[in-house]
């Protein structure tokens, strides 16, 4: 991935002149006075790890798999939130790990964790580096140093149980690689989040990821039937049946724990047959309220498409559902729904029944064009963010979820908070995941950068976090907690909930070396 942006540098493109003019006239965006730092201008702290510790780590994984060079340290610094990128573009590498260690087995991970615990070295599990909530920045105070534990060498499809439709996969496998390997067996996970091109399966589990086809395939945590976890105290091997009444499910302690309780070294995942057909199409509703009612009807009464998304009026007008066609001819009034159907012989019938429901509730069919355009550009939005940052705009995303009855209140609370904090930003929203009981809301915010854009966004983020909790929403539906949501997460689960999590961490990680500062304080 690009060290100071998203993905493949070759895919980043400058904004067209009309869009730059719109940003200038509508939001007051001006080109930054200081150009972005080059790779060689990134300021790194002096590495803190002693030769003794480095030698011990090399003895576990091999000298070739312990890296202390600038390239490795910079590329393992932070994640990909807008504040992360702003700091990197300013040449600030102050959060860089002292070393990057690449284990090749579960046993090596166990040994590394024991060694790091003995030497009081903080450990940040690192997959694709796509966190957007500060999930890859360890607290250094009280530690002898920080290592990034890169799981890239744990990248095998270990086994396929075609009878049970369960596969065992190592956590460092990136999603596209996993899909290619599964396709060789006629299978798919069906998990396609916006980070799909770069994120790893271990990261999906650690952050409770949810993909764009979750209506049909489920969230990633729904797919996990078992996992193996290395902790400083030993191994957890969890999940031996599809469902169980044998006490609380300890898999749920690890899922969403973001590396604070242990390092996932193996995943047993439920898979599906690869679909023979994929059809995506667009619908238009007069308002966000009417579109939401239609999505709720499908989620509660069926039939439920595999992909189901609704953009609000602003997002539809701008055309953000198709980042590569911003402001194009498909943009317009009303609210755009994307409905997608994946499967085999059942696809045509499912599409016909869902279309009847959508039309009956006021939807206007737009044909396959908008759906195919969305599918083609479904991973493009982060590249647009890079282009906007280069022009002097702050652009960031945030998400939440709530019950259907509370969704309008939650939607209004987030928008009001952002406008109160940022003046007159452009705020867009879409429903990205639906359930019988509720849905998620995914917001994109664009505003002109102030003299101190980091402080500007951090202030807005604190306010909107408080607004989400006060309005009864969850602080995160699929991005995770990291550091950015830690205080709001504590407010969401309450003091006793925080005590429970501290107790779990204290038992599994007595020295507190695993991703300190992330998830819980």
């Amino acid at each position: 991935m690009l060290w100071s942006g998203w993905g493949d540098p070759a895919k980043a493109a400058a904004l067209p002149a009309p869009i730059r003019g719109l940003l200038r006239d509508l939001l007051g965006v001006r080109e930054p006075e200081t150009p972005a730092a080059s790779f060689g201008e990134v300021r790194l702290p002096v590495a803190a790890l002693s030769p003794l510790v480095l030698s011990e780590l090399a003895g576990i994984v091999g000298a070739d798999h312990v890296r202390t060079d600038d390239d490795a340290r910079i590329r393992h610094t932070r994640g990909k939130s807008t504040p992360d990128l702003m700091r990197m573009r300013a040449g600030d590498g102050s959060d860089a790990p002292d070393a990057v260690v690449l284990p090749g087995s579960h046993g090596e991970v166990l040994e590394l964790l024991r060694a790091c615990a003995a030497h009081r070295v903080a450990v940040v599990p690192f997959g694709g580096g796509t966190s957007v909530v500060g999930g890859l920045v360890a607290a250094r105070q009280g530690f002898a140093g920080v290592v990034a534990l890169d799981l890239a060498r744990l990248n095998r499809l270990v086994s396929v149980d075609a009878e049970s439709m369960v596969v065992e996969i190592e956590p460092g496998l990136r999603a596209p690689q996993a899909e290619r390997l599964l396709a060789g067996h006629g299978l798919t996970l069906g998990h396609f989040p916006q980070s799909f091109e770069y994120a790893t399966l271990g990261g999906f589990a650690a952050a409770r990821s949810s993909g764009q086809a979750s209506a049909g395939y489920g969230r990633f945590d729904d797919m996990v039937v078992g996992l193996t976890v290395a902790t400083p105290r030993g191994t957890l091997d969890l999940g031996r049946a599809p469902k169980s009444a044998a006490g609380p499910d300890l898999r749920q302690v690890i899922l969403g724990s973001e590396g604070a309780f242990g390092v996932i070294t193996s995943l047993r995942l439920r898979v599906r047959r690869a679909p023979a057909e994929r059809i995506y199409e667009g619908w238009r509703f007069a308002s966000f309220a009417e579109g939401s009612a239609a999505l709720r009807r499908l989620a509660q009464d069926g039939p439920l498409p595999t992909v189901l998304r609704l953009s609000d009026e602003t997002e539809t007008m701008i055309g953000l559902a198709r980042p590569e066609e911003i402001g194009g001819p498909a943009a317009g009034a009303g609210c755009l729904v994307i409905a997608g159907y994946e499967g085999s012989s059942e696809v045509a019938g499912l599409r016909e029944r869902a279309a009847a429901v959508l039309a009956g509730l006021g939807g206007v069919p737009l044909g396959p064009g908008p759906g195919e355009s969305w599918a083609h550009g479904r991973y493009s939005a982060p590249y647009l963010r890079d282009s906007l940052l280069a022009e002097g705009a702050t652009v960031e995303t945030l998400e939440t979820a709530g019950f259907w009855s509370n969704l309008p209140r939650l939607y209004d609370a987030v928008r009001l908070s952002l406008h109160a904090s940022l003046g007159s930003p452009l705020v867009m929203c879409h429903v990205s995941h639906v359930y019988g009981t509720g849905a998620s809301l995914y917001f994109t915010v664009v505003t002109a950068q102030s003299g101190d854009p980091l402080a500007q966004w951090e202030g807005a983020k604190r306010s909107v976090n408080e607004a989400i909790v006060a309005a009864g929403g969850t602080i995160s539906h699929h991005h995770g907690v990291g550091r950015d949501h830690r205080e709001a997460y504590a407010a969401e689960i309450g003091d006793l909930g925080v005590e429970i999590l501290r107790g779990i961490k204290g038992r599994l990680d007595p020295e507190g070396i695993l991703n300190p500062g992330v998830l819980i304080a």
Side-chain angles (χ1 to χ4, degrees), residues 40 74 103 118 135 138 141 152 196 229 248 256 281 298 305 344 353 358 363 367 385 409 432 441 446 449 456 517:
I74 290 171
Q141 188 172 1
F196 172 81
V229 185
E281 62 185 13
L298 289 174
S344 299
R353 295 194 305 277
L358 292 171
R385 177 183 61 169
R409 177 189 176 206
S432 54
L441 295 174
V446 185
Q449 291 181 7
Q456 175 194 30

Side-chain angles (χ1 to χ4, degrees), residues 424-441:
S424 300
L426 181 65
V427 181
M428 298 165 278
C429 179
H430 63 261
V431 172
S432 54
H433 307 274
V434 298
Y435 309 93
T437 52
S440 69
L441 295 174

Side-chain angles (χ1 to χ4, degrees), residues 53 56-58 60-61 101-126 143 145-151 154 228-236 254 258-265 505 507-516:
V53 172
E56 187 168 341
L57 299 180
I60 296 170
V61 300
V101 184
L102 295 96
S105 68
H106 172 80
E108 288 184 359
V109 175
L110 276 179
E111 286 191 66
L112 287 169
L113 294 184
R114 289 172 181 145
C116 288
H119 293 286
R120 294 284 298 163
V121 174
V123 176
V124 179
F126 193 98
F143 295 98
V146 175
V147 300
L149 193 71
D150 191 323
L151 298 168
L154 296 176
T228 302
V229 185
T231 81
R233 291 287 308 280
T235 298
L236 282 171
I254 301 301
E258 302 183 32
F261 298 158
V263 179
I264 297 168
T265 59
K505 184 169 178 66
R507 180 62 66 177
L508 295 175
D509 178 23
E511 299 300 322
I513 63 165
L514 285 168
N515 226 358

Side-chain angles (χ1 to χ4, degrees), residues 117-283:
H119 293 286
R120 294 284 298 163
V121 174
V123 176
V124 179
F126 193 98
T130 61
S131 170
V132 292
V133 291
L136 299 174
V137 180
R140 280 184 170 267
Q141 188 172 1
F143 295 98
V146 175
V147 300
L149 193 71
D150 191 323
L151 298 168
R153 293 177 62 209
L154 296 176
N155 62 355
R156 296 180 303 143
L157 173 59
V158 177
S159 65
V160 176
D161 179 351
E163 184 175 2
S164 303
M165 295 292 282
V166 171
V167 299
E168 182 177 359
I169 298 183
E170 291 182 328
L173 199 63
R174 293 185 188 272
Q177 296 170 311
E179 284 296 322
R180 284 194 292 270
L181 290 171
L182 291 173
H185 298 270
L187 303 172
T188 183
L189 281 169
H191 190 70
F192 304 103
Q194 196 167 74
S195 61
F196 172 81
E197 295 172 304
Y198 296 96
T200 62
L201 301 195
F204 290 155
R208 286 192 185 274
S209 175
S210 193
Q212 295 168 339
S214 65
Y217 292 102
R219 293 164 53 94
F220 195 80
D221 46 357
D222 299 328
M223 302 174 190
V224 178
V225 298
L227 37 74
T228 302
V229 185
T231 81
R233 291 287 308 280
T235 298
L236 282 171
D237 199 1
L238 306 172
R240 56 175 58 198
K243 297 290 181 182
S244 172
D249 188 349
L250 293 181
R251 289 173 299 185
Q252 300 304 321
V253 172
I254 301 301
L255 295 170
S257 63
E258 302 183 32
F261 298 158
V263 179
I264 297 168
T265 59
S266 178
L267 290 158
R268 273 84 71 197
L269 303 172
R270 176 261 291 159
V271 289
R272 302 282 181 86
R273 306 280 181 211
E277 189 173 8
R278 290 183 173 94
I279 301 173
Y280 303 100
E281 62 185 13
W283 291 77

Side-chain angles (χ1 to χ4, degrees), residues 225-499:
V225 298
L227 37 74
T228 302
V229 185
T231 81
R233 291 287 308 280
T235 298
L236 282 171
D237 199 1
L238 306 172
R240 56 175 58 198
K243 297 290 181 182
S244 172
D249 188 349
L250 293 181
R251 289 173 299 185
Q252 300 304 321
V253 172
I254 301 301
L255 295 170
S257 63
E258 302 183 32
F261 298 158
V263 179
I264 297 168
T265 59
S266 178
L267 290 158
R268 273 84 71 197
L269 303 172
R270 176 261 291 159
V271 289
R272 302 282 181 86
R273 306 280 181 211
E277 189 173 8
R278 290 183 173 94
I279 301 173
Y280 303 100
E281 62 185 13
W283 291 77
R284 191 180 299 281
F285 281 82
S287 69
F288 194 54
E290 291 182 25
S292 296
L295 266 60
R296 177 170 61 86
R297 170 73 176 275
L298 289 174
Q300 292 177 342
D301 301 330
L304 190 58
T306 310
V307 173
L308 192 59
R309 301 165 64 87
L310 166 69
S311 295
D312 72 359
E313 289 87 348
T314 306
E315 185 170 287
T316 300
M317 178 183 65
I318 297 297
L320 195 63
R322 303 166 308 283
E324 78 287 4
E325 297 179 7
I326 292 292
C335 294
L336 177 67
V337 166
I338 300 296
Y341 308 89
E342 299 187 5
S344 299
S345 58
E346 75 279 9
V347 164
L350 175 63
R351 180 187 185 192
E352 184 177 344
R353 295 194 305 277
V357 173
L358 292 171
L361 293 173
V364 176
L366 302 177
E372 292 173 357
S373 176
W374 169 81
H376 179 264
R378 65 198 298 182
Y379 308 126
S380 300
Y383 293 104
L384 176 62
R385 177 183 61 169
D386 288 356
S387 300
L388 288 164
L389 282 172
E391 292 296 329
T394 292
V395 55
E396 185 59 298
T397 61
L398 57 97
E399 42 79 38
T400 180
F403 298 113
W404 287 111
S405 58
N406 194 46
L407 221 56
R409 177 189 176 206
L410 190 55
Y411 175 80
D412 289 342
V414 170
R415 289 174 53 82
L416 287 170
S417 173
L418 291 169
H419 280 279
S421 300
L422 298 172
S424 300
L426 181 65
V427 181
M428 298 165 278
C429 179
H430 63 261
V431 172
S432 54
H433 307 274
V434 298
Y435 309 93
T437 52
S440 69
L441 295 174
Y442 190 103
F443 295 86
T444 302
V445 190
V446 185
T447 192
Q449 291 181 7
S450 69
D452 187 348
L454 267 173
Q456 175 194 30
W457 175 250
E458 288 170 352
K461 180 67 172 176
R462 282 193 299 272
S463 296
V464 80
N465 285 355
E466 293 170 2
I468 287 171
V469 173
T474 180
I475 194 57
S476 177
H477 172 265
H478 56 270
H479 281 169
V481 176
R483 297 169 68 92
D484 297 354
H485 295 153
R486 190 179 62 198
E487 283 70 30
Y489 176 55
E492 184 174 330
I493 65 175
D495 292 342
L496 183 57
V498 173
E499 285 185 34

Side-chain angles (χ1 to χ4, degrees), residues 42-102:
V42 177
R43 301 178 299 278
L44 292 174
V46 175
L49 291 179
S50 70
L52 173 66
V53 172
L54 289 172
S55 176
E56 187 168 341
L57 299 180
I60 296 170
V61 300
D64 290 344
H65 303 305
V66 177
R67 296 185 57 183
T68 57
D69 56 282
D70 289 356
D71 185 271
R73 294 179 69 198
I74 290 171
R75 294 186 188 281
H76 289 79
T77 300
R78 309 188 186 96
K80 297 299 181 183
S81 71
T82 291
D84 289 341
L85 300 188
M86 286 179 173
R87 290 184 173 96
M88 296 308 290
R89 290 170 63 86
D92 176 6
S94 57
D95 294 317
D98 300 302
V100 179
V101 184
L102 295 96

